[in-house]
Amino acid sequence: MNYLKNVIAFSLLLTIIVAIASSCGRKKSSNVIIAPKPEVVKPSAPVRMSEYTHSDNVEWLGKTYKVEVIRSVADSLPMVKDDQGMKYFDNMIRVKVIRPDGTEFFNRLFSKAAFKDYIDDNTRNHGVLLGVVLDKAEGDNLILGASVGSPDILSDEYIPLLITISRMGNVSIARDSHLDSEEPQDADSDI
């Protein structure tokens, strides 16, 4: 009987040792999930902004004119770099004003260089021509809003400008210091 007690004690001791050994090998489960930080992959090629065409009808000089704005990527212009060294293509924007009979009254291609006197050095060196949009017809003039600024899609840094087209087809540019574009400032230069 002693023998049987020893075998049972030995078996029980062996079971306890196996249980302890196997529990030491298990990892405690946790609700904390550790994932590696995602890498921000910057494109290796220069970034192009999307191209677009937009047109608006406007009552001007007693008739309905069509103002067409076409933005295209300017491969021929120097690229710009942002603060992180990312390269961007600049843009060119064609503005057309079409008479009610379908003939062209105005057709001009704008680049950032047209606005060089109205933008600061940082914008001149690191910004692109972002867009042009019809603002309003006022008296003998068509007034368009333009912007030159950071090409980064997440940025809201830009300089607002005004392009005024007279009934004679003359163009003047001014920096827009009003949010509602009511009164152009420094609109003394004809280009």
Side-chain angles (χ1 to χ4, degrees):
M1 194 131 183
N2 246 352
Y3 175 72
L4 188 58
K5 282 185 181 181
N6 284 342
V7 170
I8 292 174
F10 180 75
S11 296
L12 187 59
L13 183 62
L14 187 60
T15 304
I16 292 173
I17 291 174
V18 169
I20 290 174
S22 67
S23 70
C24 289
R26 286 187 203 152
K27 292 185 179 180
K28 291 183 178 182
S29 64
S30 171
N31 291 338
V32 178
I33 299 172
I34 300 173
K37 185 176 179 180
E39 274 187 50
V40 176
V41 179
K42 291 187 175 182
S44 58
V47 177
R48 296 171 169 265
M49 293 179 76
S50 61
E51 297 185 346
Y52 69 83
T53 300
H54 180 78
S55 63
D56 285 304
N57 290 327
V58 62
E59 289 297 319
W60 185 44
L61 305 173
K63 297 185 179 175
T64 302
Y65 285 75
K66 180 176 167 184
V67 177
E68 199 171 270
V69 176
I70 304 157
R71 182 174 76 186
S72 58
V73 175
D75 295 335
S76 60
L77 295 176
M79 286 188 227
V80 298
K81 285 185 184 180
D82 66 7
D83 295 337
Q84 287 76 36
M86 198 59 216
K87 288 183 179 180
Y88 294 86
F89 283 98
D90 206 337
N91 300 305
M92 296 187 78
I93 298 179
R94 181 167 303 281
V95 175
K96 294 181 183 181
V97 179
I98 312 295
R99 292 182 185 98
D101 65 5
T103 62
E104 281 186 1
F105 162 72
F106 182 84
N107 185 344
R108 179 152 178 196
L109 187 62
F110 290 91
S111 70
K112 180 175 63 178
F115 307 99
K116 66 180 169 59
D117 294 336
Y118 306 96
I119 58 178
D120 57 54
D121 287 339
N122 185 53
T123 304
R124 195 175 295 118
N125 295 326
H126 302 287
V128 299
L129 179 55
L130 297 170
V132 173
V133 63
L134 174 65
D135 186 6
K136 60 187 169 184
E138 185 174 71
D140 288 349
N141 299 315
L142 283 177
I143 300 172
L144 295 94
S147 58
V148 178
S150 172
D152 183 353
I153 196 163
L154 299 176
S155 174
D156 61 355
E157 294 179 25
Y158 68 94
I159 296 176
L161 302 148
L162 294 173
I163 301 170
T164 302
I165 303 170
S166 75
R167 72 181 302 155
M168 302 305 289
N170 297 324
V171 175
S172 62
I173 296 175
R175 194 161 179 169
D176 185 5
S177 60
H178 295 82
L179 291 176
D180 58 0
S181 302
E182 282 189 24
E183 295 179 42
Q185 300 294 314
D186 303 326
D188 56 348
S189 75
D190 287 336
I191 57 169

